[in-house]
Amino acid sequence: MTTNPSPSQRYWGLLLTCWLVALVSTLGALFIGEVMQLEPCVLCWYQRIAMFPLVCIVGIACYSNDRRGAVYALPLALAGLALAVYHTLLLAGVVPKAWVPCSASVPCTDQKLEILNGIQIPWLSLLAFIAIVILLFVYLRKSRS
C-alpha cells in the first residue's frame, strides 16, 4: 500500500531550487567582497542583508519540509527584489542621481565588475531575487493543503 505524498512534499524541488539560488548568490557576494576585495556600495549591502538570511530560512524549510519557511522567506525576498529593481533602475539612468544613497567613495552607479561581457552585479542580484520570489510564490501556491 502506497501513501500519497502531501502537496508540500511533491513540490519540495521548488524550495530546493530556491535555496540553491540563494546559496549561489550568497557565495558569489562573499567571493566578490572577501576574495576579490571589491567593496560593495550601500545598495549592494542592503541586498546582501536581504539575501544572506534566505540561505538559512529556506535551507531549514527544505530540511524540515515545512511550508512556513517559505512564508517567512517571502518578505525578505520581496524586499531584496525591491532594492534590486531600484538599483537596476539607478544604473539604467531612470532614477535621478540625487536619490542615490551611496557615498562618493563607493558609488552605486559605477560598477567595476562585469560578468559575461557586460552583465553587472546588480542585474545578477535582480535575476536572483526574481527567481527566488517566483519559486516561493509557485511553491506556496502549489503546496496548499
Side-chain angles (χ1 to χ4, degrees):
M1 178 192 264
T2 61
T3 60
N4 290 334
S6 71
S8 63
Q9 290 171 333
R10 276 187 266 149
Y11 300 106
W12 180 79
L14 293 169
L15 206 54
L16 179 64
T17 305
C18 181
W19 177 74
L20 289 172
V21 170
L23 180 66
V24 168
S25 300
T26 297
L27 292 175
L30 289 172
F31 180 81
I32 290 167
E34 301 302 319
V35 176
M36 296 178 69
Q37 298 292 313
L38 290 176
E39 187 176 348
C41 69
V42 172
L43 288 174
C44 289
W45 270 117
Y46 292 155
Q47 290 170 66
R48 287 177 178 200
I49 289 169
M51 182 66 74
F52 288 4
L54 288 175
V55 175
C56 296
I57 294 169
V58 177
I60 291 170
C62 279
Y63 180 73
S64 62
N65 199 16
D66 190 357
R67 185 178 188 278
R68 292 177 295 178
V71 173
Y72 300 145
L74 192 57
L76 271 174
L78 289 171
L81 178 61
L83 288 164
V85 166
Y86 179 78
H87 199 177
T88 303
L89 291 175
L90 184 65
L91 283 174
V94 175
V95 175
K97 291 191 179 191
W99 295 357
V100 178
C102 297
S103 66
S105 63
V106 184
C108 291
T109 56
D110 183 29
Q111 298 296 314
K112 296 177 180 142
L113 181 62
E114 292 182 355
I115 298 173
L116 302 172
N117 294 326
I119 300 175
Q120 296 180 349
I121 299 302
W123 286 97
L124 292 175
S125 175
L126 177 67
L127 290 174
F129 278 115
I130 287 172
I132 289 170
V133 166
I134 289 172
L135 287 165
L136 287 174
F137 269 126
V138 171
Y139 173 77
L140 288 171
R141 187 164 199 191
K142 291 188 179 262
S143 66
R144 281 187 213 160
S145 300

